[in-house]
Amino acid sequence: MAETTTDPLPNLDELMEWSVDKAFTAAMREIAPVGKDGTNTHHRYNFRQAEDVVRACSGPMRKYGLKMFPKVISREHQTRGSNNVTVLEVEWVFRGPSGDTMTDTVTTVGEAADVSDKATNKAMTASEKYALLQAFKIEVDAGDLDDGDRDHPQSVRSPIDWYLEQLRRPEVWYSATALRELVAKAESNGMLKVAMPHNPFCTLEEYIIARGRQVVAEMEERDQQRAESREAVQAQMAAEHPAAVPQNSTPPPATPPPAAPPAPQTVSPPPLPTAAEIQERITEAQSDAAALEALRDQVGPDILQQVVIESRWGKMSAAAAIAMALLELGSPPAPPAADDPQETAPEPPKPKRKQRSATEERARIRMLTEAEIQARMLNISVHEHLADVLPAGSVDPGNVASGVALQQLVRDARPDVLAALIKGGYTKAAELYAALGTSVPAPNIDAIVLAVNEAQPVA
């Protein structure tokens, strides 16, 4: 430890003539080195106590009439977990016994945390300690330059730690909306330009924005893959059923019997409705079971299965839309076509439907309702979504025979649907949907449907 020089106590009248520089130099010669005599038992590190620094300086400063005054330049308050954190920038001015002040001042930053209301007081004490250390160049032991340079533990939280914890949460890391909210919070706290611990050349803002772009790119890639998959399915169906009526096209008029003479125009059968007309009639008759059944009988199940329309359950075949409407009204599903062996296959399971309890039927309806919402958010038809759980050749969601298979399909689709809700800006619906977890059927599916229908998606 370095030795200090002690001058005799000057006469008071003589001292009153000293300049601030002379008094400062005399005090500086008598201030002894200060070591790390304080110990933090919780985090297990040693530190230089503020009271030790003040004690080392106060005697020589009193002896030579040297005074020190603070001026707060800025104050910032943050909240980290349960702690209140204050950061103070303080300018310290030294005044001599004759009343003159130093031209040069000492500016230091003090930071402190407290669960109560003492964070500002502690920050001021920290600023004073470092002002004295810097101003008087107080000597320290070798290898003991500063409180945190060598033996301060990594477990002590820094201002960026809370943001890093948020980024490790899956609901934030995989959500573009949550990442945008995190950027806004960091901006309000002045943390956007803070360097990342693992990369000092990358700020927190750059890191979060880069992750957000990656999340959006991954969503767009998944959407592209789904679109390509749908196109492949449609191409395969067109190859397997070349006689099928193209989507959104006018069905061919009925061909009169070849043996009969041409019928007068006044008694010829009316032309079949177009896809747009079918969609309009289903919308008008969705609360009238008799009108829906009459439309189904008039157009025919084969044509309805080939015509795809936009319904309130999403994009699906006209036959499926009529079946969904009749299901809500409590009417039986459409009978299978007599000449289609694929439609006659599901006939044996019909008695099982009658044996379902009221509880089972309610659960099944809730799962089908969620499947409709899922298909809508994934931008596919309900038929495509339920293809794995429907009997071969069926397009009627009411024909789903296995409740267990339907339950698993709904559960497996939830992550992609949640991502689509978030991307589409359905904030309230996304919150309700995320709260479901793996519970199937959803107990609050009506609230989710309402939230989706009332939402104003973000473009």
Side-chain angles (χ1 to χ4, degrees), residues 106-425:
V106 179
T107 302
T108 56
V109 175
E111 178 177 347
D114 189 82
V115 295
S116 185
D117 58 352
K118 301 297 187 295
T120 301
N121 299 351
K122 292 180 179 180
M124 180 65 79
T125 299
S127 176
E128 181 185 20
K129 180 180 80 169
Y130 286 105
L132 291 171
L133 289 172
Q134 297 295 326
F136 289 108
K137 303 300 179 185
I138 298 176
E139 299 177 34
V140 295
D141 298 332
D144 193 29
L145 297 180
D146 199 9
D147 295 354
D149 289 345
R150 289 182 170 81
D151 53 1
H152 199 283
Q154 293 298 321
S155 61
V156 176
R157 292 172 61 88
S158 67
I160 203 173
D161 283 344
W162 183 84
Y163 295 92
L164 298 180
E165 290 176 358
Q166 297 302 305
L167 288 170
R168 284 192 287 268
R169 296 170 57 191
E171 58 268 32
V172 176
W173 185 250
Y174 295 101
S175 169
T177 301
L179 291 170
R180 284 194 297 269
E181 294 174 353
L182 194 62
V183 169
K185 185 173 183 64
E187 181 179 12
S188 65
N189 291 331
M191 295 295 296
L192 286 180
K193 303 305 179 184
V194 176
M196 296 295 292
H198 62 280
N199 185 359
F201 301 102
C202 176
T203 65
L204 178 63
E205 178 183 23
E206 293 170 342
Y207 187 80
I208 298 178
I209 290 178
R211 175 56 191 167
R213 290 173 178 168
Q214 182 180 359
V215 170
V216 173
E218 291 173 353
M219 289 182 178
E220 292 175 349
E221 182 179 357
R222 286 197 296 268
D223 292 343
Q224 179 64 26
Q225 291 175 349
R226 292 194 186 100
E228 293 174 354
S229 177
R230 287 196 300 272
E231 291 176 0
V233 170
Q234 292 174 357
Q236 181 179 356
M237 292 180 63
E240 294 177 354
H241 307 282
V245 179
Q247 295 182 357
N248 297 327
S249 65
T250 305
T255 303
Q265 186 175 2
T266 55
V267 296
S268 61
L272 294 176
T274 64
E277 293 171 344
I278 292 175
Q279 179 171 342
E280 182 179 359
R281 291 179 62 178
I282 291 176
T283 302
E284 294 175 351
Q286 59 185 354
S287 60
D288 187 344
L292 290 169
E293 292 174 353
L295 174 62
R296 184 174 59 193
D297 294 339
Q298 176 191 354
V299 179
D302 292 337
I303 299 299
L304 291 174
Q305 287 175 6
Q306 300 300 328
V307 176
V308 177
I309 65 171
E310 286 287 350
S311 72
R312 62 190 180 95
W313 301 280
K315 184 179 292 185
M316 60 176 64
S317 68
I322 293 176
M324 292 298 296
L326 290 174
L327 183 64
E328 287 188 352
L329 296 172
S331 298
D339 57 348
D340 189 350
Q342 293 181 338
E343 292 295 325
T344 59
E347 285 295 335
K350 280 189 175 180
K352 294 184 178 180
R353 294 187 183 180
K354 297 179 181 178
Q355 296 174 3
R356 293 191 187 102
S357 66
T359 301
E360 290 173 337
E361 187 62 23
R362 284 195 298 269
R364 181 170 170 274
I365 291 175
R366 287 205 302 270
M367 287 190 290
L368 286 173
T369 302
E370 182 174 354
E372 296 163 15
I373 289 294
Q374 290 182 339
R376 173 178 172 182
M377 298 312 304
L378 296 176
N379 196 26
I380 59 177
S381 68
V382 176
H383 175 214
E384 289 179 88
H385 187 40
L386 299 178
D388 292 338
V389 295
L390 282 172
S394 175
V395 294
D396 185 358
N399 288 336
V400 174
S402 173
V404 175
L406 176 60
Q407 185 182 43
Q408 188 61 43
L409 181 142
V410 169
R411 182 182 291 116
D412 291 344
R414 279 185 178 175
D416 289 340
V417 174
L418 179 58
L421 287 168
I422 294 172
K423 181 179 179 182

